[in-house]
Amino acid sequence: MRKEILFSGFGGQGVILASVILGRAAAVYEGLYAVQTQAYGPESRGGASKAEVVISDEPIDYPKTLNPDCAVFFSQEAYNKYLHTVRKGARIIVEEELVPHRDREFEKDLEVVSLPLTEIAEETTGLSLTMNILTLGILTAWTGVVSRDAIEKAVLDAVPKGTEEINLRALHRGFELGEKAKAGDL
């Protein structure tokens, strides 16, 4: 079993943190092998950002994604640049307000969840910056790439002290949306 997950967007959206949390959930709490890599522009906020997680039940011989099974797109630039790297049948999550121009023809061979993630995060927690945690909840419930328990523990390890409750609220809202996606209700 080798699962490849791509997170992409721009600096400040929590792309790298989301990938670190997912990798930690897999390696520390699921006992799987996991490798996380990242690439980002020189700007700390606003520049392009990409992070990859490879999860396997065997040692990982190549740490980069070749044809991601799952991908998250938080910006138009990221979508344009990386959409065509995902494998046929991949599951993708799109921040619909920040990715207004989509390749519907290419998406016909994919499973797509497109939501106003920033808006949902803001409504759920009062903070748009919890969008990455919300998205991890969707990804986990929809794909089962790691267990809910593992991702919850990894989130609690990673978020700043005092923000645990807010981040768990975002994660649990993501679980609800992921269940709807799994049922075909999104």
Side-chain angles (χ1 to χ4, degrees):
M1 175 226 40
R2 178 185 168 103
K3 293 287 180 194
E4 300 181 353
I5 302 94
L6 168 73
F7 293 87
S8 57
F10 52 79
Q13 290 181 306
V15 167
I16 293 169
L17 179 60
S19 69
V20 168
I21 291 170
L22 180 61
R24 181 180 194 83
V28 175
Y29 297 110
E30 295 282 335
L32 298 168
Y33 294 93
V35 178
Q36 184 272 339
T37 57
Q38 59 200 37
Y40 47 89
E43 314 88 352
S44 60
R45 297 223 179 269
S49 180
K50 171 179 88 160
E52 301 167 309
V53 181
V54 176
I55 298 171
S56 180
D57 56 359
E58 298 177 355
I60 296 167
D61 56 357
Y62 186 70
K64 306 287 266 173
T65 62
L66 299 169
N67 295 105
D69 302 286
C70 304
V72 174
F73 300 106
F74 288 153
S75 73
Q76 187 69 57
E77 179 185 359
Y79 179 91
N80 294 348
K81 192 170 185 179
Y82 302 117
L83 176 67
H84 295 275
T85 68
V86 303
R87 70 169 177 76
K88 190 175 184 176
R91 292 180 172 181
I92 67 168
I93 299 172
V94 178
E95 196 334 330
E96 71 181 19
E97 292 182 351
L98 298 176
V99 185
H101 307 290
R102 310 239 312 267
D103 184 341
R104 304 290 183 186
E105 189 60 34
F106 190 81
E107 284 185 15
K108 284 181 181 176
D109 292 327
L110 307 174
E111 292 183 55
V112 182
V113 167
S114 177
L115 294 166
L117 299 167
T118 307
E119 181 182 313
I120 294 168
E122 211 163 275
E123 289 170 357
T124 303
T125 66
L127 296 169
S128 61
L129 56 84
T130 59
M131 173 195 47
N132 61 337
I133 305 299
L134 172 92
T135 304
L136 280 172
I138 295 169
L139 181 72
T140 299
W142 187 30
T143 68
V145 68
V146 293
S147 71
R148 290 180 189 205
D149 186 52
I151 201 76
E152 192 169 295
K153 288 176 181 174
V155 165
L156 291 173
D157 286 347
V159 299
K161 296 296 172 220
T163 68
E164 296 92 346
E165 185 185 319
I166 286 171
N167 280 288
L168 285 179
R169 200 175 325 138
L171 184 68
H172 294 157
R173 179 69 176 121
F175 289 161
E176 292 169 13
L177 293 168
E179 282 301 323
K180 285 184 176 185
K182 205 172 172 178
D185 293 339
L186 284 182

